[in-house]
Amino acid sequence: MVSNSDDLKKEIFAHVEHYIREFNSGDAAAVDRLYTDDAVSVWEPGKAATGAERRAGQAAYLAQKPVMKAEVIESYVTSDTALLAVDWTIDIPGAPGGPQRQQGTGVDVLRRGKDGKWRFAIDNPYGTDLT
Amino acid sequence: MSATIDLSLTDDPDQQNDVFTEAFNSGDGSIFDQLYRADAISNLTGKTLTGPARTEAIKEFLATKPKLTATVLKTFRTADTMLLIVDFSVETVGPDGEPVKLDGTCTDVLVHDENGKWVMAIDRPVMKPAA
């Protein structure tokens, strides 16, 4: 498929919508299926987590029932690799210290697996903000 | 001479950056373009381009002998996918031949090719606001 074709972009946007739905459902196992096995998440600027640490961190975070809104503002999609810039906001109404809001512009990398499915490989919600 | 540039990219992001910079500064777009997959997406020329159009545009741009300096700020990687965040500065010439300096931050996605070698899949330079 030709890079950046409408079909490829549609697939990626569908993946992002699916991700937001699963994230907002709070189902950690379902969310984890949308990541590659060795995916990297950067939930604090510049600090990466992977493997069991990433899964445990994701599950603990989802247990707080965060609500995500996200908009893809840029997308570059080849047949098996995508780079997205995403404006996002997460509200945690029931956070222990009172309602919390987090926001940022992420720069995320997705890969398409041998099964044809897209997954997050590098989940980088603070983008180029490293501090 | 440019023909002697070793374009092999190791796992070391600083080595990758050195090769990328040397290939860019060779002024020979056909050398620089070898760092990219055939279906890679590049935004280096100010347009989002892939395939032969990308190659043509980068050849034209590098023929004007822009000079790149770049520093790797951060990398995140899985087994076969890497996101580099790079500060860059390009000295080039404007439409009337006047010197122009472009400063910005680039996010680059490298992936393993079929031989397990790193190759550029997507670049996304973002200019800093004019001072």
Side-chain angles (χ1 to χ4, degrees), chain B residues 25-94:
Chain B
N25 289 338
S26 76
D28 186 339
S30 60
I31 289 177
F32 180 75
D33 197 58
Q34 291 172 44
L35 296 170
Y36 286 73
R37 285 197 334 194
D39 72 344
I41 300 169
S42 174
N43 295 283
L44 288 186
T45 58
K47 288 181 188 167
T48 301
L49 296 172
T50 186
R54 183 199 70 242
T55 305
E56 277 315 303
I58 200 72
K59 276 186 187 169
E60 274 178 36
F61 179 45
L62 293 193
T64 68
K65 307 285 182 191
K67 175 94 169 55
L68 169 71
T69 50
T71 309
V72 178
L73 300 180
K74 194 78 187 173
T75 56
F76 302 112
R77 67 165 289 195
T78 71
D80 64 2
T81 307
M82 192 178 313
L83 180 70
L84 271 80
I85 301 174
V86 177
D87 252 2
F88 72 87
S89 179
V90 174
E91 290 168 50
T92 181
V93 289

Side-chain angles (χ1 to χ4, degrees), chain A residues 52-104:
Chain A
E53 183 193 4
R54 184 186 64 74
R55 290 190 174 87
Q58 179 92 277
Y61 188 73
L62 290 172
Q64 300 183 71
K65 304 286 178 203
V67 180
M68 176 192 288
K69 287 182 187 151
E71 186 188 355
V72 176
I73 53 172
E74 290 175 48
S75 59
Y76 309 101
V77 191
T78 75
S79 57
D80 67 0
T81 306
L83 179 68
L84 305 182
V86 183
D87 275 346
W88 59 270
T89 305
I90 294 177
D91 284 301
I92 311 178
Q100 263 189 34
R101 166 166 284 200
Q102 300 163 335
Q103 57 195 332

